[in-house]
Amino acid sequence: DIQMTQSPSSLSASVGDRVTIACRASQGIGNNLGWYQQKPGEAPKRLVYGATSLQSGVPSRFSGSGSGTEFTLTISSLQPEDFATYYCLQHNTYPRTFGQGTKVDIK
Amino acid sequence: EVQLLESGGGLVQPGGSLRLSCEASGFTFSNYAMNWVRQAPGKGLEWVSTLGGSGSTYYADSVKGRFTISRDNSKNTLFLQMNSPRADDTAIYYCAKTDNYYGSGALDYWGQGTLVTVSS
């Protein structure tokens, strides 16, 4: 199985900060990776697909980069509505595997 | 607008059975692979199963042999039959759509989830 290691597991940041979340795959997955945002009590919402493509309707302050084994989600200027937990998910092989999540909270 | 509405969750005894449903709307259901993903209380997301449009099925090792994914394209509904559930199957179960027919794609839209509690 492909292991997805996400870091950090949590971070505290202020509105306006630039935030970077990393996800490392235990073997190469090409660009078969998505990023998801989940707020408390809500279903996950896809932000990025194909490692770098922004989901329609998602603000442009979100961006994804990387391929192979190293991936990054960047929020260029954190907004109040961005405080949430973020997950990466590889869909290169079965079983599908998620990163353990990164909780972004208010500093 | 894509909508996925799960139902069927509740309290089930260990060793019992439960069937979850996910009613889909806003897209041509038969043209897409579908998934179940779960989240134990206070924990992260865990993929459970995928059913491709062609009928191919995939399962997490933790549920293989106990859970069965199926679909009724005439009713735009996805199912998860849970047999012999265990306490560690307690979770919110989400239905999620894949962005292609074969199941090789990414999960794009998710339902709001249904809570399953396994307890005596």
Side-chain angles (χ1 to χ4, degrees), chain A residues 16-73:
Chain A
D17 283 353
R18 181 181 181 87
V19 168
T20 299
I21 299 168
C23 196
R24 172 178 292 176
S26 60
Q27 62 190 77
I29 59 170
N31 66 346
N32 294 312
L33 182 117
W35 288 98
Y36 299 81
Q37 176 193 66
Q38 186 180 33
K39 297 179 180 179
E42 297 186 7
K45 170 188 170 184
R46 188 167 75 169
L47 302 175
V48 171
Y49 63 95
T52 60
S53 298
L54 201 63
Q55 179 77 14
S56 175
V58 172
S60 59
R61 63 181 179 271
F62 291 92
S63 64
S65 63
S67 67
T69 60
E70 302 285 344
F71 302 88
T72 300
L73 175 71

Side-chain angles (χ1 to χ4, degrees), chain B residues 8-112:
Chain B
L11 178 64
V12 59
Q13 291 190 339
S17 65
L18 196 67
R19 188 173 84 156
L20 307 183
S21 300
C22 170
E23 186 171 349
S25 60
F27 64 101
T28 304
F29 180 72
S30 59
N31 286 356
Y32 294 91
M34 296 294 295
N35 310 266
W36 289 99
V37 175
R38 68 185 181 183
Q39 186 169 37
K43 303 297 185 183
L45 299 169
E46 179 189 17
W47 171 80
V48 173
S49 182
T50 298
L51 175 55
S54 61
S56 52
T57 57
Y58 307 87
Y59 296 96
D61 284 347
S62 58
V63 307
K64 200 174 295 182
R66 301 186 299 119
F67 291 8
T68 302
I69 191 171
S70 63
R71 66 196 295 163
D72 183 340
N73 288 338
S74 69
K75 296 182 179 178
N76 292 344
T77 302
L78 178 73
F79 302 101
L80 184 69
Q81 179 68 40
M82 304 174 61
N83 293 335
S84 302
R86 309 184 299 227
D88 62 357
D89 293 320
T90 294
I92 296 172
Y93 284 74
Y94 295 102
C95 166
K97 173 184 166 290
T98 299
D99 61 12
N100 70 17
Y101 176 78
Y102 296 103
S104 57
L107 277 59
D108 53 4
Y109 293 94
W110 301 59
Q112 287 303 303

Side-chain angles (χ1 to χ4, degrees), chain A residues 4-15:
Chain A
M4 303 301 294
T5 303
Q6 200 172 325
S7 61
S9 56
S10 65
L11 66 91
S12 294
S14 301
V15 172

